[in-house]
């Protein structure tokens, strides 16, 4: 098992993918995407998913979120079959998708509709958690990209999910905002104890945040190519010899061998 520095690992969900086959019908033909994928993610892990464009990373997150059903195979969350979406498994996209006619408070509060439990104090707490105390009544057009993404994070965390699925959540942000939000995401994960599965194209981001880095890929349909435990203490030195070595190994897995 992978060690984590997460103090609240009991709060996270365990996810088990068992022989997942998935694909889509396109122009009358079935195109496979995932091929007999087996994966076990333990409670409280922070898994980074890397792989070439189109290899099935977003598809895999949608399957775990219960937004799609696999063609065959099983997905279990804490041992129970996943049969649809649920408030304990939240998927967060690259785009914050805030409603422009709602304030920050109203956008975050909207997520409580799923559970039917409306609690203004919890909304304020979530807004504080992501560092937007002074922006409770701001409109989305008054926010920077990084702030909008923080609102999306508050909205994702309001129902105390036990599994946070992140699809390139920082992909559209500038490099500096991205580094700041990486640290904030790491702190939230430590504080809240959820299990995290994050798709990213950024190897350094994966190495900074994750307790485990998985690469997907292959000819035709995708399989797990590598599964590497990152047991370095956090916060990590991005330029330590160990990190440089891990970066080289992962890039190699992704088809970028070192220049000789
Ligand atoms: N609803 C759909 N109908 C048909 N094909 C789909 C559908 N969703 C995804 N696909 C196909 O499945 C494959 C995997 O798509 P997916 O979005 O999971 O890739 P990805 O790894 O997330 O790529 P990227 O890094 O570009 O986001 C692609 O070939 C895509 O065309
Ligand atoms: Mg994708």
């Amino acid at each position: 098992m992978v060690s984590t520095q997460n103090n609240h690992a009991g709060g996270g969900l365990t996810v088990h993918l068992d022989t997942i086959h998935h694909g889509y019908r396109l122009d009358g033909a079935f195109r496979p995407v995932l091929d007999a994928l087996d994966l076990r993610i333990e409670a409280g892990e922070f898994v980074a998913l890397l792989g070439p464009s189109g290899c099935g990373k977003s598809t895999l997150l949608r399957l775990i979120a219960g937004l799609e059903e696999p063609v065959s195979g099983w997905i279990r969350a804490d041992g129970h079959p996943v049969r649809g979406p649920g408030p304990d498994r939240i998927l967060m996209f690259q785009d914050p998708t805030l409603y422009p006619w709602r304030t920050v408070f109203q956008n975050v509060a909207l997520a409580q509709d799923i559970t039917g439990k409306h609690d203004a104090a919890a909304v304020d707490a979530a807004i504080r958690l992501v560092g937007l105390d002074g922006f409770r009544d701001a409109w989305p057009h008054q926010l920077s990209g990084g702030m909008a993404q923080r609102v999306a994070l508050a909205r994702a965390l309001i129902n105390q999910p036990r599994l946070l699925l992140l699809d390139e959540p920082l992909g559209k942000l500038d490099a500096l905002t991205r580094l700041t939000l990486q640290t904030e995401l790491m702190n939230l994960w430590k504080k809240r104890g959820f299990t995290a599965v994050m798709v990213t194209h950024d190897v350094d981001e994966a190495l900074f945040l994750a307790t485990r880095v998985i690469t997907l890929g292959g000819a035709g349909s995708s399989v797990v190519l590598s599964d590497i435990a990152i047991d370095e203490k956090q916060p990590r030195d991005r330029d330590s010899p160990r990190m440089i070595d891990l970066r080289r190994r992962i890039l190699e897995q992704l088809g970028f061998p070192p220049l000789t």
Side-chain angles (χ1 to χ4, degrees), residues 1-109:
M1 216 194 93
V2 177
S3 73
T4 76
Q5 291 93 45
N6 193 322
N7 298 324
H8 309 274
L13 209 60
T14 301
V15 181
H16 188 191
L17 295 114
D18 186 356
T19 338
I20 298 296
H21 285 274
H22 198 60
Y24 299 97
R25 265 201 173 276
L26 214 61
D27 298 332
F30 180 76
R31 308 244 179 119
V33 175
L34 301 173
D35 180 20
L37 199 86
D38 279 320
L39 193 58
R40 198 182 157 86
I41 300 169
E42 302 297 342
E45 279 193 309
F46 197 126
V47 174
L49 268 184
L50 290 159
S53 182
C55 76
K57 303 178 297 296
S58 298
T59 301
L60 186 59
L61 291 194
R62 285 198 301 275
L63 291 171
I64 299 173
L67 298 172
E68 277 179 43
E69 248 187 74
V71 168
S72 69
W74 283 96
I75 301 175
R76 292 188 179 84
D78 270 3
H80 304 291
V82 168
R83 294 216 169 86
D88 57 341
R89 284 169 282 120
I90 296 290
L91 176 56
M92 190 176 147
F93 302 95
Q94 184 174 21
D95 211 323
T97 57
L98 304 179
Y99 289 102
W101 58 88
R102 287 175 183 266
T103 62
V104 165
F105 180 92
Q106 290 166 340
N107 265 287
V108 176

